[in-house]
Amino acid sequence: MTSSDDLLAERVRGVLEVPLHAWLGLRLADPDAPAAGLVLPVREPALNNGGVLHGGLVAALLDVAAYVHLLPHLGPGENAVTHDATSSLLRAVQPGADVLLTSTLLRLGRSVAFLRSDATVEGVLVASGQVTKSVLRPR
């Protein structure tokens, strides 16, 4: 593993260790390939009062998936913060499901990254979102 691989692994681990993410059980879809996306097990902490996956959580995690996908494209000392995010919830997700959150980098400019994130359950699209990240460069 190269030092850039070590740095990426450390940054991804940091995302997964965010207390909310850890409490929800968020994990990598493939521990060897962060770009493969994240998995959210739909359990009690992730449910709304109607007994299905909370839509606000889905929106937040579409953003997290975009960030994880962007990490390998950032240089040393660079970071990214959300500039804008929109999401569309297409289907209710029942308890017991595993939601796969993936992202695609649409364009990376000098200071802005545009990404699309999708949430699927067993290959069925349940939500999608557009995320714009401001790239922060070291001073």
Side-chain angles (χ1 to χ4, degrees):
M1 195 183 274
T2 67
S3 62
S4 63
D5 290 338
D6 290 339
L7 178 59
L8 175 60
E10 180 181 325
R11 293 181 87 174
V12 170
R13 188 172 38 258
V15 171
L16 296 175
E17 290 174 353
V18 167
L20 175 64
H21 305 162
W23 182 61
L24 291 169
L26 193 64
R27 65 182 189 275
L28 291 174
D30 179 346
D32 296 326
L38 303 167
V39 175
L40 171 70
V42 180
R43 310 297 182 261
E44 191 170 344
L47 302 181
N48 65 18
N49 63 334
V52 296
L53 179 59
H54 193 290
L57 263 176
V58 175
L61 294 178
L62 289 168
D63 178 53
V64 173
Y67 179 70
V68 169
H69 188 82
L70 182 60
L71 284 175
H73 302 278
L74 298 176
E78 292 182 341
N79 204 354
V81 295
T82 303
H83 178 83
D84 186 50
T86 61
S87 61
S88 296
L89 307 172
L90 307 173
R91 298 177 189 274
V93 178
Q94 300 299 318
D98 284 332
V99 177
L100 175 62
L101 300 137
T102 58
S103 193
T104 304
L105 180 61
L106 303 174
R107 182 175 184 279
L108 177 58
R110 292 182 58 182
S111 61
V112 180
F114 299 90
L115 301 105
R116 174 193 162 106
S117 294
D118 291 324
T120 59
V121 174
E122 297 180 0
V124 176
L125 187 65
V126 297
S128 67
Q130 295 285 128
V131 180
T132 306
K133 297 276 188 185
S134 294
V135 177
L136 307 176
R137 304 199 184 281
R139 292 182 182 222

